[in-house]
Amino acid sequence: MFRNEVKNIVRLVGAYICHCMRHFLSICTIGAGRTSFQITAYFLWKGSSVYIFLEEDCQSWVFQSTIIFFLYLVFTIEYFGNLRLHGYYFLKLVHRYISWLCPVCKFISQSRQPRVLTHLPVNGWTFNFYKYSSYISCIRRKDTAEMANQDVVSIFSSAVNSVLPHHLIRKHIELDHNGKNLIIEDKKYKLDNNVYVVGFGKAVLGMARAVDDTLSQHIVKGIISVPTGIQENFRDAGKLDMLLDSNSKIEVREGSKNNMPDKSSYQTAVRIQDLVSKLREKDLLIVLISGGGSALLPLPIPPVTLEEELELTQILSKNGAIIDELNILRKNIEVLKGGGLAKQAFPAKVIALIVSDVIGDKLEIISSGPTVPDKSTPQQCLMILKQLNLQDKIPESINTLLVRRTREITKSTGSVEYTGGTQWEHVQNVIVGNNKMALAAASMKAEQLGFLPITLSSVLNGEASKVGVMFGMLARYAALSFGYKVSNPKSSDYVQLELDLVSKGVPKKTLKKVVALAHHAYNIKKPICILTGGETTVQVKGSGKGGRNQEMAVACALEIDKQCQGDTSVLANFDLIFLSGGTDGIDGPTPVAGAVIDQTFIQKCNDNNMDALTYLRNNDTFNLFEKISEECLILIGHTGTNVMDIQALVIKSKK
């Protein structure tokens, strides 16, 4: 036994030396079939720790210690000294070397509790090494379905990376040749130690860093409101380029835990109002706005209190109000929203740099339009509440305020002016990032990976579970369109499926595009990738844990399973994969961005005696994925951006 272990150690040393000689540019494997030892490593990223689960057929401490020792060497070798390894790129590199060390490597965790072997601190990172079990595990290669699954996640990652805030800001702001003027699109602003910065949203931390890097010598003061814990999350993930330097004049304040207004965000809003209301005509105010900004800038008009506004937000969210409706109400019961911030800043010049998180990029809706004239009215708010049947369920002070303001406007000219008129010449609003940009990057990545991509929409909306059903039907429709002929005996079924999709809101011209793409893919033997973007809603009826993207994925999986039962002869020849993820990295009150499923997901649920439909109805999709397969969950943490959601549907022929 000891002699075999020595042989194994020698093999590891030899492979390791060869790998170093190749300058870490290729992935080496230790055999493709059975060797004198078998080992499987499971790699999981959570928080600031990397967890490695080892399975092997040798229980000896000699072998276990050797594995850990060489993993440690891989992470700490001097070759890494000249590299800055942060976040996602670090994980890719680590995955690469574990793939070299262990031919089988999956991003999963095991349901049974592993035993801790040791903890190794490495250059500020904590690596926890576990021993999971001691049994022989056969080495296998990844099949085409697994590769397609990884491809669709890679497509989503490319979409997110394309709209990272610091990249977006640097594309849109520049200094002239002498550094005395700021150029935003076609406008110039004189710089003379006169810049103030405020911001609110999930993406403004990275945006502020980019602004600070460019204009730090001219910035007098700044305050930004960001989600609770985002700075720690960025530090843990190694995203140091998303954080402000310690000597920055821009103050970072966290709040709005779980994306809801709270005392911390309220206090920050008070500070922001105080700062902007004191600005002079020579001053320049840069306002950074992104998704989540509404919850991070709560400043209700008396007599409405913060607690009452929070109650209103919760009631609206649980009763299916769309983000547009929620923002309209916020604009009419708050001080800074609905153009209020720009009014407070007058006569200073105002530049709003905006990362859009709303369908259609409507400026008056993004973070409730703090720098845009408000066209909504209190009367409109009362109508929204009536349509949702919530008049008697919201705090009385809000009803009182809306009724009072409606009467005031009725008696006046219908608009509320401020010192400076209604022309808004002092304000420039610029959208620097949106969902269309993310979809363009996703399409480019899909093409690079060998798919034929098509983007159907960037304004997807509706109830998440119903949209998921639509995608499940679309998956079968696209699969049937590969080589479809009218003479096909199942043509009537095909036509009925088309009619059903049209009845669910899919335009006929969109379906024609899908058919044309499928025909082309069939002829050149390529898979297709259908892309959409937007933001759906969820009506919370259960007590579970989940998010809109996870609900959409489960609903899609249920529909694909239903469609497969109706036509196994055709769909058995395809890999059907669907992903839905939030570009902010957080889907509802869960730590994941969304989920990815294939046509086998429901069968896995059935094999584990889990009723996916019951979990869906209980809004408990996160727990379903955790119990069935964590591989389905997209765990990327706070991305530092937010341009709504991305969906990708892959149809790949097995032939």
Side-chain angles (χ1 to χ4, degrees):
M1 176 65 73
F2 183 78
R3 181 174 297 177
N4 288 334
E5 289 174 358
V6 171
K7 289 181 179 179
N8 294 336
I9 293 172
V10 170
R11 289 182 180 180
L12 285 171
V13 172
Y16 179 74
I17 293 174
C18 290
H19 195 63
C20 293
M21 291 175 66
R22 296 184 184 189
H23 297 285
F24 303 89
L25 296 179
S26 63
I27 301 175
C28 300
T29 59
I30 312 174
R34 285 185 177 274
T35 61
S36 58
F37 67 93
Q38 305 289 332
I39 178 169
T40 303
Y42 295 96
F43 176 85
L44 173 67
W45 174 266
K46 277 192 175 182
S48 59
S49 298
V50 173
Y51 301 84
I52 296 175
F53 298 77
L54 296 177
E55 301 175 5
E56 75 287 323
D57 62 342
C58 180
Q59 300 184 31
S60 167
W61 67 270
V62 176
F63 189 79
Q64 294 172 7
S65 300
T66 302
I67 296 298
I68 293 173
F69 173 70
F70 281 106
L71 285 172
Y72 184 83
L73 285 180
V74 168
F75 297 141
T76 58
I77 186 166
E78 288 295 326
Y79 188 84
F80 289 171
N82 296 325
L83 299 177
R84 294 184 63 188
L85 305 176
H86 295 308
Y88 175 72
Y89 302 102
F90 181 84
L91 292 181
K92 285 185 68 176
L93 200 55
V94 172
H95 181 206
R96 185 174 174 185
Y97 297 122
I98 296 177
S99 297
W100 153 68
L101 189 64
C102 313
V104 180
C105 180
K106 302 179 184 177
F107 285 80
I108 66 173
S109 67
Q110 295 295 314
S111 57
R112 282 177 281 179
Q113 184 66 31
R115 178 170 63 86
V116 178
L117 287 178
T118 187
H119 302 268
L120 294 176
V122 182
N123 297 331
W125 299 75
T126 301
F127 293 93
N128 297 330
F129 294 94
Y130 290 87
K131 179 179 180 298
Y132 169 65
S133 62
S134 299
Y135 60 87
I136 295 177
S137 175
C138 294
I139 295 175
R140 60 182 175 81
R141 296 296 186 184
K142 294 176 182 176
D143 57 30
T144 56
E146 286 179 304
M147 294 174 66
N149 194 310
Q150 287 187 358
D151 284 345
V152 76
V153 174
S154 179
I155 291 168
F156 173 71
S157 297
S158 295
V160 174
N161 290 338
S162 71
V163 289
L164 291 178
H166 46 299
H167 297 156
L168 297 174
I169 292 295
R170 287 168 184 145
K171 289 179 182 178
H172 285 83
I173 67 172
E174 61 177 310
L175 303 178
D176 63 6
H177 66 281
N178 56 19
K180 294 183 178 180
N181 290 285
L182 174 65
I183 302 174
I184 306 287
E185 293 186 334
D186 58 345
K187 292 188 177 182
K188 279 188 178 183
Y189 299 90
K190 185 178 180 180
L191 297 174
D192 187 18
N193 298 317
N194 60 338
V195 177
Y196 293 80
V197 180
V198 297
F200 27 89
K202 297 176 181 178
V204 302
L205 190 54
M207 295 168 75
R209 170 62 186 268
V211 170
D212 201 30
D213 287 346
T214 305
L215 302 172
S216 59
Q217 62 180 344
H218 294 287
I219 294 176
V220 180
K221 187 178 182 181
I223 302 172
I224 61 173
S225 181
V226 298
T228 299
I230 192 169
Q231 294 181 92
E232 182 180 356
N233 290 334
F234 284 161
R235 290 191 192 97
D236 289 345
K239 298 178 181 179
L240 303 182
D241 57 342
M242 301 285 279
L243 299 172
L244 288 163
D245 292 334
S246 58
N247 60 352
S248 173
K249 296 176 183 176
I250 302 174
E251 179 184 358
V252 181
R253 295 177 62 88
E254 297 187 353
S256 295
K257 188 175 182 180
N258 295 325
N259 201 31
M260 301 295 279
D262 59 15
K263 186 177 180 179
S264 296
S265 56
Y266 170 78
Q267 292 173 344
T268 303
V270 172
R271 296 273 305 275
I272 288 175
Q273 182 196 23
D274 182 64
L275 186 153
V276 302
S277 63
K278 296 177 181 178
L279 298 180
R280 300 159 295 176
E281 187 174 0
K282 74 178 187 67
D283 294 327
L284 177 61
L285 176 66
I286 296 179
V287 185
L288 307 175
I289 304 173
S290 73
S294 292
L296 287 159
L297 195 72
L299 192 57
I301 301 171
V304 180
T305 65
L306 174 65
E307 291 72 23
E308 289 170 332
E309 182 178 355
L310 178 59
E311 183 181 350
L312 172 68
T313 302
Q314 292 172 333
I315 291 171
L316 290 169
S317 298
K318 288 185 178 181
N319 285 273
I322 61 175
I323 189 66
D324 290 14
E325 294 169 335
L326 181 59
N327 285 338
I328 287 172
L329 277 150
R330 283 170 168 167
K331 287 190 292 184
N332 283 274
I333 66 170
E334 292 196 32
V335 176
L336 298 177
K337 296 183 172 69
L341 181 64
K343 295 175 185 179
Q344 296 279 328
F346 183 83
K349 294 180 177 61
V350 178
I351 303 171
L353 303 177
I354 304 165
V355 175
S356 172
D357 73 322
V358 302
I359 291 173
D361 300 334
K362 299 174 183 177
L363 291 175
E364 68 275 14
I365 297 298
I366 303 170
S367 290
S368 304
T371 59
V372 182
D374 184 22
K375 298 179 182 179
S376 69
T377 65
Q379 179 63 37
Q380 189 176 353
C381 295
L382 293 172
M383 290 298 296
I384 290 172
L385 294 173
K386 183 178 180 179
Q387 290 170 1
L388 295 172
N389 196 27
L390 298 176
Q391 309 100 306
D392 300 328
K393 298 179 182 179
I394 66 170
E396 183 60 30
S397 63
I398 295 176
N399 267 323
T400 300
L401 175 65
L402 293 174
V403 171
R404 187 190 76 199
R405 294 196 64 205
T406 298
R407 290 172 181 170
E408 291 173 351
I409 292 175
T410 301
K411 292 179 182 179
S412 67
T413 61
S415 64
V416 180
E417 295 187 359
Y418 68 103
T419 309
T422 58
Q423 300 304 310
W424 297 74
E425 296 96 343
H426 70 298
V427 180
Q428 182 184 10
N429 291 294
V430 182
I431 292 181
V432 298
N434 58 17
N435 190 263
K436 290 181 180 178
M437 296 179 187
L439 284 171
S443 180
M444 185 179 299
K445 182 64 175 180
E447 191 169 0
Q448 291 173 357
L449 292 172
F451 294 94
L452 288 181
I454 183 173
T455 299
L456 297 186
S457 174
S458 63
V459 295
L460 187 71
N461 59 73
E463 190 174 342
S465 58
K466 292 181 180 179
V467 174
V469 171
M470 181 274 293
F471 272 110
M473 297 170 64
L474 187 61
R476 179 168 178 251
Y477 181 79
L480 290 173
S481 298
F482 273 71
Y484 172 76
K485 296 180 180 179
V486 178
S487 59
N488 190 303
K490 292 189 177 182
S491 60
S492 60
D493 183 44
Y494 179 84
V495 172
Q496 184 59 51
L497 183 58
E498 184 176 274
L499 293 174
D500 291 341
L501 283 166
V502 171
S503 70
K504 290 187 176 296
V506 183
K508 185 69 180 290
K509 63 180 181 180
T510 297
L511 294 177
K512 287 183 177 179
K513 291 180 181 178
V514 172
V515 172
L517 185 73
H519 275 304
H520 185 40
Y522 175 78
N523 291 329
I524 64 175
K525 307 300 181 184
K526 280 192 173 185
I528 67 175
C529 179
I530 298 173
L531 298 167
T532 63
E535 189 166 275
T536 57
T537 59
V538 171
Q539 285 198 18
V540 180
K541 298 179 180 179
S543 58
K545 185 178 182 181
R548 60 178 180 263
N549 291 292
Q550 294 163 77
E551 290 218 356
M552 192 186 299
V554 172
C556 180
L558 284 164
E559 183 62 26
I560 286 177
D561 184 67
K562 176 183 173 182
Q563 296 290 338
C564 284
Q565 291 175 6
D567 194 359
T568 55
S569 61
V570 174
L571 297 186
N573 297 321
F574 292 88
D575 289 322
L576 307 176
I577 300 169
F578 176 73
L579 175 149
S580 185
T583 55
D584 62 351
I586 304 298
D587 186 31
T590 73
V592 300
V596 55
I597 58 90
D598 60 22
Q599 70 262 48
T600 68
F601 180 76
I602 298 303
Q603 185 58 52
K604 292 176 183 177
C605 293
N606 296 336
D607 292 343
N608 287 274
N609 296 318
M610 299 285 184
D611 185 1
L613 183 58
T614 299
Y615 277 86
L616 179 62
R617 289 173 175 171
N618 191 38
N619 304 115
D620 200 23
T621 49
F622 176 75
N623 287 320
L624 175 65
F625 282 118
E626 275 209 318
K627 292 175 182 177
I628 298 301
S629 176
E630 285 188 350
E631 286 182 300
C632 295
L633 294 172
I634 306 170
L635 181 61
I636 56 177
H638 284 281
T639 61
T641 193
N642 184 18
V643 294
M644 300 185 289
D645 304 331
I646 297 291
Q647 291 79 36
L649 175 62
V650 164
I651 298 95
K652 185 174 184 178
S653 176
K654 295 179 181 178
K655 294 183 178 180

